[in-house]
Amino acid sequence: MTKIPTIEVYGTEQICASCVNAPSSKDTYEWLEAAISRKYKNQPFSISYIDIENPQLEEQHKDYAARIMEDEFFYPLVLIEGEVVGEGYIQLKPVYRELEKHGFKAEQ
């Protein structure tokens, strides 16, 4: 693994109305960070939370925030290296699969 994968979690403090019983976007961000760190010890990654209700400086963030607001995606929306790996109710398996495509190996 040469490049540190970037994980982006887009969302808002309000829980998605379409995602009944799902955790908040911020909770999902914290949960993913902890789960990935446990499964892939000593394998660096960058994770960031992007609040779609705040003004965005980066064009990609603006684009995804607008697309979520226009109901193209549910939130939280999770991207790894620009690839959408989950939206709404996030599951770990697709996240892990994408990280393993980027060279991550689970601790045994």
Side-chain angles (χ1 to χ4, degrees):
M1 181 171 54
T2 55
K3 184 176 186 276
I4 296 174
T6 300
I7 303 166
E8 296 173 321
V9 180
Y10 290 82
T12 181
E13 289 188 29
Q14 179 182 359
I15 294 175
C16 175
S18 300
C19 307
V20 178
N21 296 324
S24 72
S25 299
K26 191 73 164 184
D27 289 342
T28 299
Y29 159 79
E30 292 169 354
W31 169 70
L32 279 175
E33 184 173 36
I36 294 166
S37 295
R38 269 193 310 276
K39 184 167 178 88
Y40 303 106
K41 293 181 177 142
N42 302 316
Q43 295 173 69
F45 62 95
S46 169
I47 187 167
S48 56
Y49 174 73
I50 297 103
D51 189 322
I52 62 172
E53 293 182 328
N54 291 335
Q56 302 300 319
L57 301 176
E58 294 185 34
E59 284 305 313
Q60 177 180 321
H61 295 173
K62 286 180 189 177
D63 178 53
Y64 276 105
R67 292 167 74 184
I68 293 167
M69 297 296 229
E70 294 166 0
D71 295 327
E72 185 176 337
F73 293 109
F74 291 117
Y75 60 88
L77 174 68
V78 178
L79 284 78
I80 298 177
E81 288 298 312
E83 185 72 29
V84 174
V85 294
E87 60 178 307
Y89 189 80
I90 305 302
Q91 297 182 358
L92 287 173
K93 284 185 180 184
V95 171
Y96 291 163
R97 266 196 306 271
E98 189 64 26
L99 286 171
E100 289 171 4
K101 287 181 188 175
H102 293 277
F104 275 48
K105 296 198 182 338
E107 292 286 314
Q108 300 297 333

